[in-house]
């Protein structure tokens, strides 16, 4: 289900009427316009909630995430004073560049995962890792697109997950220090040095 631009979602009323808007199992909701969750109202997400527009949870309002919540690179999610975020679901925001990424405010960044499915260079990977560290994000996932050839040393933090589906090349005189998780499904050309946690996956390693 997609709510397009021009169609807002208002949950509850400004007078504090109690109401719950549920996203049930098997339903994916994508919103591209405004979402407002008022005092004493709740969004109950039991499947997938994609925020590509602007969402605001006002004081006394609740967003309960029990499965998967994603704020796209065009979206924003704001919790005002007194608003509540709860649930044990996966919560992420998409990162494209330091200037273009999902915006989340009013809750601890340690609850969130930064996801970059757009990286095409080592610089893109590093920018994502740096952003996650600088903002205290709980986890960071990078899915490089196409072939990647490193041009300098790379440190993968303990809270980071990289998945490579192209050819991933570590040239001579370049070191990868993997404190996190690295999966590859295609080929790794390892002419440099790999330190720390071993890479794994269905692909092959040459070099």
């Amino acid at each position: 289900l997609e709510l397009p631009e021009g169609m807002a979602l208002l949950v509850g009323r400004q007078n504090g009427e109690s109401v719950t808007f549920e996203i049930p199992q098997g339903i994916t909701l994508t919103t591209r316009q405004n979402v407002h969750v008022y005092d004493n109202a709740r969004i109950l997400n039991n499947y997938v909630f994609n925020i590509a527009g602007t969402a605001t949870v006002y004081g006394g309002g609740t967003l309960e995430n029990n499965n998967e919540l994603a704020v796209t690179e065009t979206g924003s999610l704001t919790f005002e004073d007194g608003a509540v975020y709860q649930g044990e679901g996966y919560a992420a925001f998409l990162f494209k560049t330091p200037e273009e990424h999902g915006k989340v405010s009013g809750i601890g960044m340690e609850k969130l995962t930064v996801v970059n499915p757009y990286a095409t260079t080592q610089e893109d990977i590093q920018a994502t890792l740096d952003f996650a560290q600088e903002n205290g994000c709980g986890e960071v996932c990078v899915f490089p697109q196409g072939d990647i050839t490193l041009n300098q040393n790379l440190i993968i933090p303990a809270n980071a997950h990289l998945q490579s589906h192209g050819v991933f090349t570590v040239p001579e005189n370049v070191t990868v220090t993997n404190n996190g998780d690295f999966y590859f499904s295609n080929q790794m050309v390892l002419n440099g040095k790999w330190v720390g946690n071993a890479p794994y996956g269905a692909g092959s390693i040459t070099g």
Side-chain angles (χ1 to χ4, degrees):
L1 175 63
E2 180 171 319
L3 298 183
E5 293 183 12
M7 181 177 290
L9 174 62
L10 279 64
V11 183
R13 298 179 183 274
Q14 291 176 317
N15 63 8
E17 178 184 1
S18 178
V19 64
T20 294
F21 178 89
E22 181 180 358
I23 303 169
Q25 281 284 337
I27 298 296
T28 296
L29 176 64
T30 300
T31 59
R32 299 192 179 280
Q33 192 63 40
N34 295 335
V35 176
H36 299 281
V37 184
Y38 293 109
D39 179 26
N40 209 28
R42 176 176 66 148
I43 288 182
L44 175 60
N45 176 38
N46 287 323
Y47 200 62
V48 178
F49 184 19
N50 295 320
I51 299 171
T54 300
T56 304
V57 184
Y58 298 96
T62 300
L63 173 53
E64 181 175 335
N65 176 36
N66 295 320
N67 198 52
E68 184 176 324
L69 170 70
V71 181
T72 75
E73 68 274 13
T74 63
S76 68
L77 172 59
T78 301
F79 290 84
E80 295 198 342
D81 289 346
V84 175
Y85 175 79
Q86 62 187 28
E88 299 300 324
Y90 175 79
F93 63 94
L94 297 189
F95 180 98
K96 196 169 186 179
T97 70
E99 295 75 34
E100 189 176 359
H101 57 81
K103 311 295 193 301
V104 181
S105 61
I107 61 172
M109 296 295 281
E110 72 279 358
K111 302 177 185 293
L112 303 173
T113 298
V114 183
V115 179
N116 185 348
Y118 307 108
T120 59
T121 65
Q122 180 176 0
E123 288 72 23
D124 294 339
I125 296 172
Q126 192 63 58
T128 312
L129 299 177
D130 291 345
F131 180 90
Q133 181 179 18
E134 291 165 4
N135 290 275
C137 300
E139 289 186 298
V140 53
C141 298
V142 185
F143 306 99
Q145 301 300 302
D147 299 341
I148 298 286
T149 298
L150 301 184
N151 52 41
Q152 58 184 334
N153 295 341
L154 175 65
I155 298 175
I156 303 172
N159 67 336
H161 310 271
L162 269 66
Q163 287 191 20
S164 173
H165 300 290
V167 177
F168 191 89
T169 301
V170 183
E172 291 185 55
N173 302 317
V174 171
T175 298
V176 175
T177 303
N178 182 22
N179 299 314
D181 184 77
F182 187 97
Y183 172 89
F184 64 105
S185 64
N186 195 320
Q187 182 183 8
M188 177 182 293
V189 180
L190 184 56
N191 293 320
K193 188 176 180 181
W194 191 281
V195 177
N197 300 332
Y200 69 97
S204 60
I205 299 179
T206 61

